[in-house]
Amino acid sequence: MSQSFEPRPELTAEDLVKSIFKYIGLIAHEHDVEKMLVILADMGRDLVAADRCTVWLIDERWGTLWTKVAHGVDRITIPVGVGIAGAAAENDEVIIINDAYSDPRFDKSVDKQTGYVTRNIIAIPFYDPAGKVIGVYQAINKMTRSGEFSEEDVEHLMLAATYTGKELSAVMMQQEIEKTQKEIIFTMAEAGEMRSKETGNHVKRVAEYSKLLALGYGLSEEEAEMLRMASPMHDIGKIAIPDSVLLKPGKLDADEWVIMKSHTEIGHRMLSHSERPILKTAAVVAYEHHEKWNGKGYPRGLKGDDIHIFGRITAIADVFDALGSDRVYKKAWDLDRILSLFKEEKGEHFDPGLIDVLFEELDKILEIRDKYRDNFEES
Ligand code: C2E
Ligand code: SIN
Ligand code: SIN
Ligand code: SIN
Ligand code: FE
Ligand code: FE
């Protein structure tokens, strides 16, 4: 089987070194597995002058290989054992084919559908640090004059595959750790809220309101996402407040109020020992969510911009939600009354710029409120 193609020039040693440095630089800053798959595939394609290169990852739950070929495109999935990449994964072997159509392992049906003509394929498994196959590096169609992959190409792609195994394992491990952290943080926050008999969705709503306000204010997606994860922890210090105060149906007396206000400092102390960015952010939020723009809040009486933006945002998210919910000490307010309070307190309790954002984003805020509405069954 032959196909005419426009041959590309052979790669010089200098080309190779340049492209390796370029891709290592790109990969070093990438923390997202899917984006990394695309970069690694581009690297392999350039290293061996292939037409296409794909980095497949094994999904053990389904017995499939999956990949992303470009940002924003859906995942592509194939069963392990099917096709050349599938065979390389299943049998843990390097497969080099320089005449695809005469090889029985090659499945011509894909080419038939796409009109693409596959001439040659290299498929190389790669491994996690424990030596388990986690994916396959696959290059298709050599694009220089020879039209065939050489031993050298295989060597280069093997080096790329070794590197890929290391980098992808590290990133997947990191993502797993971060996912676990987020779950633990969320569970802690829920546990804290359960003591004050606040229904489960309070922390979800505060998280989403906070992110929305952060984005509307102009913080980056990363900062907004960090705040979404951290803001549910704002009241974690309440776990140290005795039931007699926390669950008192009526107004607190002066001594009880002193105890209650300490939930900000307790939360800050609990969280500020950690080096983790999410917990450090949560520590700031716990400390500063009852500060007021006019300096009359607690525990430190900070004023204006001296209150961290995350504290100013969570203050609004928290009060918006507290007012709209039943508490042991009060009934829920209706929306008009809540909105008048925010207008009155603009520039007093709350950052005036953020109140503008609250009103600009009100439709979306109400959508969140609706989506995470508490169901009022008594338990
Ligand atoms: P929380 O119930 O989560 O309320 C958070 C914030 O929402 C309050 O912070 C306050 O700024 C606002 N908020 C809630 N309900 C009302 C209200 O009826 N009117 C007004 N104007 N604002 C309201 P704050 O005041 O610093 O209170 C902190 C926490 O102290 C509250 O968290 C709650 O756990 C407790 N707390 C406050 N007042 C009482 C009370 O009279 N009785 C009891 N048992 N606890 C109280
Ligand atoms: C195969 O691995 O058999 C198919 C390669 C392709 O065309 O993607
Ligand atoms: C803190 O003091 O805990 C946070 C720093 C800040 O106020 O921005
Ligand atoms: C931040 O962007 O995290 C802080 C900016 C501010 O305090 O306004
Ligand atoms: Fe609080
Ligand atoms: Fe709260």
Side-chain angles (χ1 to χ4, degrees):
M1 191 76 198
S2 70
Q3 177 203 22
S4 60
F5 63 95
E6 198 59 45
R8 295 183 203 156
E10 297 290 339
L11 292 175
T12 64
E14 201 191 331
D15 292 335
L16 278 179
V17 171
K18 265 196 196 145
S19 107
I20 289 170
F21 273 108
K22 176 181 129 191
Y23 285 112
I24 287 179
L26 287 174
I27 289 161
H29 294 103
E30 192 50 74
H31 303 290
D32 180 271
V33 171
E34 296 190 347
K35 287 183 188 151
M36 203 141 150
L37 290 176
V38 177
I39 299 172
L40 288 163
D42 288 350
M43 177 176 81
R45 189 197 56 209
D46 287 3
L47 282 182
V48 300
D51 187 32
R52 299 178 175 186
C53 195
T54 311
V55 180
W56 297 96
L57 273 178
I58 295 177
D59 187 333
E60 284 184 330
R61 288 167 304 173
W62 310 108
T64 54
L65 295 176
W66 68 271
T67 194
K68 288 271 261 197
V69 290
H71 304 308
V73 172
D74 283 344
R75 289 182 177 195
I76 302 173
T77 303
I78 58 172
V80 170
V82 169
I84 305 299
E90 186 168 47
N91 307 324
D92 184 6
E93 62 174 342
V94 175
I95 301 178
I96 304 152
I97 294 174
N98 265 321
D99 182 6
Y101 281 67
S102 65
D103 194 294
R105 289 168 297 186
F106 180 68
D107 173 8
K108 298 186 196 74
S109 64
V110 177
D111 278 8
K112 269 202 195 103
Q113 282 172 38
T114 59
Y116 188 78
V117 179
T118 304
R119 291 176 283 112
N120 27 59
I121 302 176
I122 307 178
I124 300 175
F126 55 84
Y127 307 89
D128 71 7
K132 198 173 73 173
V133 182
I134 56 170
V136 175
Y137 219 110
Q138 175 188 266
I140 294 182
N141 286 3
K142 179 75 178 181
M143 294 307 283
T144 57
R145 190 168 300 279
S146 74
E148 294 203 344
F149 289 117
S150 64
E151 271 309 309
E152 215 185 356
D153 289 331
V154 176
E155 266 170 41
H156 287 160
L157 211 58
M158 282 217 187
L159 283 176
T162 307
Y163 177 69
T164 293
K166 285 208 186 84
E167 292 295 318
L168 280 176
S169 308
V171 169
M172 287 190 292
M173 183 77 76
Q174 187 60 32
Q175 281 196 344
E176 185 60 31
I177 290 169
E178 279 169 16
K179 223 173 99 195
T180 308
Q181 272 181 8
K182 286 177 199 170
E183 279 168 16
I184 291 173
I185 286 171
F186 204 78
T187 307
M188 276 174 67
E190 277 186 320
E193 297 286 357
M194 258 151 71
R195 275 217 41 241
S196 45
K197 306 269 189 272
E198 286 161 24
T199 34
N201 283 336
H202 171 60
V203 295
K204 290 204 184 93
R205 290 188 303 259
V206 170
E208 300 300 330
Y209 296 155
S210 299
K211 179 167 183 180
L212 191 62
L213 292 171
L215 289 174
Y217 184 77
L219 299 191
S220 68
E221 172 66 30
E222 284 73 31
E223 287 175 303
E225 182 56 24
M226 183 66 92
L227 180 61
R228 188 182 71 84
M229 291 183 290
S231 66
M233 302 280 274
H234 63 273
D235 274 340
I236 194 70
K238 281 184 182 172
I239 64 175
I241 306 298
D243 280 352
S244 60
V245 176
L246 191 65
L247 303 181
K248 180 175 175 175
K251 248 190 125 31
L252 304 178
D253 68 28
D255 292 340
E256 291 165 336
W257 186 235
V258 170
I259 294 169
M260 176 55 85
K261 286 195 293 187
S262 72
H263 78 277
T264 51
E265 283 146 322
I266 294 167
H268 177 241
R269 248 182 284 139
M270 285 170 63
L271 296 163
S272 60
H273 300 291
S274 173
E275 283 304 315
R276 310 307 322 159
I278 300 175
L279 295 183
K280 275 181 144 26
T281 303
V284 171
V285 167
Y287 207 14
E288 302 190 7
H289 72 282
H290 288 299
E291 298 290 359
K292 293 185 177 179
W293 184 257
N294 62 13
K296 294 180 184 163
Y298 62 91
R300 289 182 290 172
L302 298 179
K303 209 170 167 172
D305 283 334
D306 288 345
I307 308 162
H308 194 283
I309 183 65
F310 288 168
R312 284 179 266 147
I313 290 173
T314 305
I316 293 176
D318 183 36
V319 173
F320 184 84
D321 204 64
L323 292 176
S325 310
D326 286 336
R327 288 285 196 265
V328 285
Y329 64 92
K330 60 166 268 285
K331 296 301 282 178
W333 291 16
D334 65 40
L335 185 62
D336 284 345
R337 192 171 166 206
I338 296 173
L339 295 180
S340 337
L341 177 126
F342 279 103
K343 280 180 195 145
E344 277 163 35
E345 294 289 342
K346 179 176 175 178
E348 293 298 326
H349 187 161
F350 304 111
D351 176 345
L354 281 169
I355 295 302
D356 291 339
V357 176
L358 175 74
F359 281 96
E360 283 156 20
E361 303 288 340
L362 194 58
D363 288 351
K364 288 186 211 152
I365 296 268
L366 295 178
E367 264 172 45
I368 293 167
R369 184 164 98 147
D370 217 47
K371 181 169 173 198
Y372 297 110
R373 183 174 290 284
D374 293 318
N375 42 9
F376 290 102
E377 318 155 37
E378 284 300 308
S379 52

